[in-house]
């Protein structure tokens, strides 16, 4: 007598093959979908907006002689002395950290300890440079505008026409 093969075992290899084919298709679909999403993101990628470099401030009258005002958004300090208005970047010339007001009335860099006077002149290193001067101008509404992308000599001043009540659209720059 010979034993007949069982029908229960005959179908098992076929089911395994079906399962593997189905799993392969699923993996291919998932991989293709992920690739399509990545391609879509690549094709629609937009460069991040450039950081702002121009900041509108108060009217000049808001800054009386002797003023030093920190403008946190711009990373600058605005000054007015007897010669006019000027601004200094608060970025340390050593490795680019933001300086902070110090107890002595100047500025100190938290990264490596550079120190600056009240108007941004270097007092101690490791930086070898003063804080950069940056340009000021007047807009059409008579507000001061600071342009962080425009460096100026530290002696530069924005002067106002005294005959116009300390305010003028024809503000002059003294490079001397
Ligand atoms: Fe200011 Fe180094 S970054 S001292």
């Amino acid at each position: 007598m010979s034993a007949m093969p069982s029908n229960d075992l005959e179908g098992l290899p076929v089911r395994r093959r079906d399962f593997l084919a189905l799993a392969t298709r699923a993996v291919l679909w998932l991989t293709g979908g992920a690739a399509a999403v990545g391609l879509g993101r690549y094709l629609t990628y937009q460069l991040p907006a450039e950081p702002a470099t121009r900041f509108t401030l108060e009217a000049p009258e808001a800054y009386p002689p002797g003023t030093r005002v920190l403008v946190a958004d711009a990373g600058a300090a605005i000054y007015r002395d007897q010669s006019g208005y000027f601004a200094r970047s608060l970025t340390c010339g050593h490795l680019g950290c933001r300086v902070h007001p110090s107890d002595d009335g100047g500025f100190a860099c938290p990264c490596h300890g550079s120190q600056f006077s009240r108007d941004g002149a270097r007092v101690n290193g490791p930086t070898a440079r003063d804080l950069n001067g940056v340009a000021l101008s007047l807009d059409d509404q008579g507000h001061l505008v600071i342009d962080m992308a425009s460096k100026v000599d530290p002696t530069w001043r924005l002067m106002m026409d005294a005959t116009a009540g300390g305010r003028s659209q024809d503000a002059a720059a003294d490079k001397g």
Side-chain angles (χ1 to χ4, degrees):
M1 277 183 80
S2 64
M4 297 289 292
S6 165
N7 284 338
D8 291 339
L9 296 177
E10 279 179 2
L12 190 58
V14 175
R15 284 199 300 272
R16 183 182 299 150
R17 225 177 283 133
D18 288 344
F19 171 78
L20 289 175
L22 188 63
T24 302
R25 273 193 214 110
V27 168
L28 288 174
W29 274 105
L30 288 173
T31 304
V37 168
L39 181 62
R41 284 188 181 163
Y42 174 77
L43 293 175
T44 58
Y45 178 75
Q46 293 186 345
L47 290 172
E50 288 287 320
T53 59
R54 293 174 65 84
F55 298 85
T56 301
L57 310 173
E58 303 290 328
E61 295 83 359
Y63 306 94
T67 290
R68 181 184 80 175
V69 175
L70 302 184
V71 184
D73 290 350
I78 308 301
Y79 300 82
R80 182 178 178 188
D81 63 12
Q82 296 306 320
S83 301
Y85 300 83
F86 62 103
R88 295 283 179 269
S89 167
L90 297 181
T91 299
C92 179
H94 181 225
L95 292 178
C97 292
R98 172 78 61 96
V99 302
H100 301 291
S102 53
D103 293 340
D104 62 1
F107 294 100
C109 181
C111 292
H112 312 103
S114 288
Q115 294 178 304
F116 306 87
S117 68
R118 182 182 184 277
D119 63 358
R122 176 190 177 275
V123 175
N124 284 311
T127 186
R129 295 191 281 136
D130 299 340
L131 297 176
N132 281 330
V134 287
L136 285 174
S137 60
L138 282 180
D139 67 9
D140 292 343
Q141 283 73 47
H143 292 102
L144 287 170
V145 176
I146 184 169
D147 183 356
M148 297 302 293
S150 181
K151 293 190 176 79
V152 296
D153 187 272
T155 60
W156 182 93
R157 296 290 183 272
L158 177 68
M159 297 186 300
M160 299 294 156
D161 180 0
T163 60
R167 183 166 162 176
S168 169
Q169 296 299 312
D170 299 316
D174 177 9
K175 295 261 184 190

